[in-house]
Amino acid sequence: MDIVALTRKLVDVESITGNEGPVGDVLHGELCHLGYQAEKIPVEGDRCNVYAAWPEQTQPVIVFSTHMDTVPPFIPSSEDSTRVYGRGSCDAKGIIATQIAAAGRLRQEGIHVGLLFLVGEERDSLGAKLANQQPRGSKFLVNGEPTENRMATASKGTLRVNVIAEGRMAHSAYPELGESAIDKLLLVLNWLRAMKLPVDPEIGSCTLNIGIIEGGRAPNVIPDKARAQLLYRLVGPSEELRREIVKTVGDLAEVEFPLEIPFQRLRTLDELPTMVAAFTTDIPWLSNWGQPLLVGPGSIHVAHTDGEYIEKKQLSDAVDLYCVIAKKLAG
């Protein structure tokens, strides 16, 4: 199987989150052509997860999995002598190609691996959450994300936080008649930035990103509303961190916690190189698919960039690596 050609074929099908229908159709067709029993599992509208297994073993012990969706904007594929470029080349359409190739090679050696390709990972893991309600009896889930072909010992979690401040409008020539929500928000954000965050000696530090700040009416109006969206990367349970955030903000603003993806410690295998994934994955939402492992080709440092690419050698090496992992798990 030409993994570079398949990677480019998949990259050239735009599949920004919410529009995965066409790439699901292409994948389903490719897998059927290769002899899999493939099915599209509806998620929302024409968005479908794709599950495939060999006819002789429709409930395999091991399942390879990753996601079909990408972040915007769409960037078509290109290549040079060493790399494939384009949106999704490393996150995660190149990974899809290597997992399909590895599953085909393993079949020739009598090891049957299933394939689970999901929608929505880049936004809310909707495909994974639905798939978790429909497990197929696997004992191991090998999830693919760009780890440069090193096995992740852990994956940091995510805690999203909204901070909302309210004030009172007034003419900016008479600020004493109003109450600035932006002033309150800036004060609160400085307090949060000064907080001491948890550290794990093996995983590293919890980190904070203030991703969005919005508020105000006009330059000559004292603002009555202001809001910030924050994201913490977790290195452990979030309960104490949540309490500290609420305590730090106090009565100056309101705090909401709209989303949490838990921190995960992961299984590794002897003699294979390791890393710590500072990003989150679908793994927390796939607990019914077996013990998780996380590994894949490509660098997370170029994912989501305008120059996203994957090394052709890493694609080839990943096929070998997925075969090694499956053999160890099957043994």
Side-chain angles (χ1 to χ4, degrees):
M1 195 183 96
D2 188 334
I3 53 176
V4 169
L6 180 55
T7 297
R8 290 197 62 180
K9 183 175 183 177
L10 295 173
V11 168
D12 285 334
V13 182
E14 186 265 295
S15 60
I16 293 168
T17 310
N19 192 38
E20 300 97 329
V23 78
D25 291 340
V26 170
L27 265 177
H28 181 262
E30 288 284 333
L31 293 166
C32 289
H33 177 73
L34 291 169
Y36 288 90
Q37 283 190 357
E39 58 182 298
K40 292 189 290 185
I41 305 168
V43 175
E44 180 184 67
D46 67 349
R47 304 169 69 199
C48 295
N49 293 332
V50 177
Y51 176 75
W54 296 111
E56 58 268 36
Q57 179 53 275
T58 57
Q59 292 185 314
V61 172
I62 303 163
V63 169
F64 293 160
S65 179
T66 189
H67 60 95
M68 298 179 281
D69 64 317
T70 69
V71 297
F74 170 68
I75 304 171
S77 75
S78 61
E79 66 178 292
D80 57 27
S81 60
T82 60
R83 295 173 175 175
V84 177
Y85 300 86
R87 178 62 76 231
S89 53
C90 80
D91 189 16
K93 292 178 177 180
I95 295 172
I96 291 174
T98 63
Q99 291 183 340
I100 293 172
R105 185 187 299 178
L106 287 162
R107 185 194 191 191
Q108 296 173 357
E109 301 180 39
I111 299 173
H112 298 92
V113 171
L115 298 167
L116 177 66
F117 301 129
L118 302 162
V119 304
E121 188 271 347
E122 297 288 5
R123 181 181 299 166
D124 55 11
S125 291
L126 181 61
K129 292 171 182 175
L130 186 141
N132 210 39
Q133 301 171 21
Q134 303 168 328
R136 304 303 170 93
S138 52
K139 294 182 179 179
F140 301 102
L141 180 85
V142 183
N143 189 248
E145 289 285 350
T147 68
E148 299 183 64
N149 286 334
R150 295 177 291 165
M151 300 202 71
T153 59
S155 173
K156 286 187 178 182
T158 289
L159 181 66
R160 290 187 185 173
V161 182
N162 295 335
V163 180
I164 303 115
E166 294 192 358
R168 186 173 66 255
M169 282 192 290
H171 195 295
S172 64
Y174 303 93
E176 69 276 8
L177 300 180
E179 190 177 358
S180 173
I182 289 178
D183 285 352
K184 290 182 180 180
L185 183 65
L186 292 176
L187 189 59
V188 165
L189 293 178
N190 278 326
W191 291 343
L192 292 174
R193 291 176 64 206
M195 268 177 51
K196 185 176 180 180
L197 298 177
V199 177
D200 183 285
E202 296 178 359
I203 309 305
S205 300
C206 173
T207 59
L208 163 63
N209 179 56
I210 301 172
I212 297 176
I213 297 177
E214 51 195 354
R217 304 284 181 170
N220 59 345
V221 177
I222 302 299
D224 61 325
K225 292 185 182 298
R227 172 188 177 97
Q229 297 181 47
L230 287 57
L231 191 144
Y232 290 84
R233 296 287 179 177
L234 302 173
V235 296
S238 70
E239 288 77 8
E240 181 58 35
L241 177 61
R242 286 170 178 254
R243 285 193 290 269
E244 190 65 24
I245 291 169
V246 171
K247 179 181 176 182
T248 298
V249 171
D251 296 331
L252 210 55
E254 180 186 353
V255 178
E256 298 175 342
F257 298 102
L259 175 69
E260 177 176 352
I261 302 173
F263 165 79
Q264 298 277 306
R265 290 191 184 273
L266 300 165
R267 175 175 176 172
T268 58
L269 298 172
D270 293 342
E271 301 177 0
L272 295 180
T274 61
M275 57 85 75
V276 173
F279 51 87
T280 55
T281 73
D282 275 332
I283 284 176
W285 314 118
L286 293 168
S287 57
N288 292 330
W289 284 76
Q291 186 178 33
L293 300 89
L294 177 62
V295 63
S299 169
I300 196 67
H301 297 149
V302 299
H304 300 191
T305 70
D306 57 3
E308 182 175 346
Y309 68 85
I310 193 162
E311 300 283 350
K312 292 179 179 179
K313 185 178 186 304
Q314 282 205 12
L315 287 173
S316 177
D317 290 346
V319 178
D320 298 335
L321 178 59
Y322 281 131
C323 288
V324 168
I325 291 170
K327 290 174 186 177
K328 287 179 177 286
L329 294 175

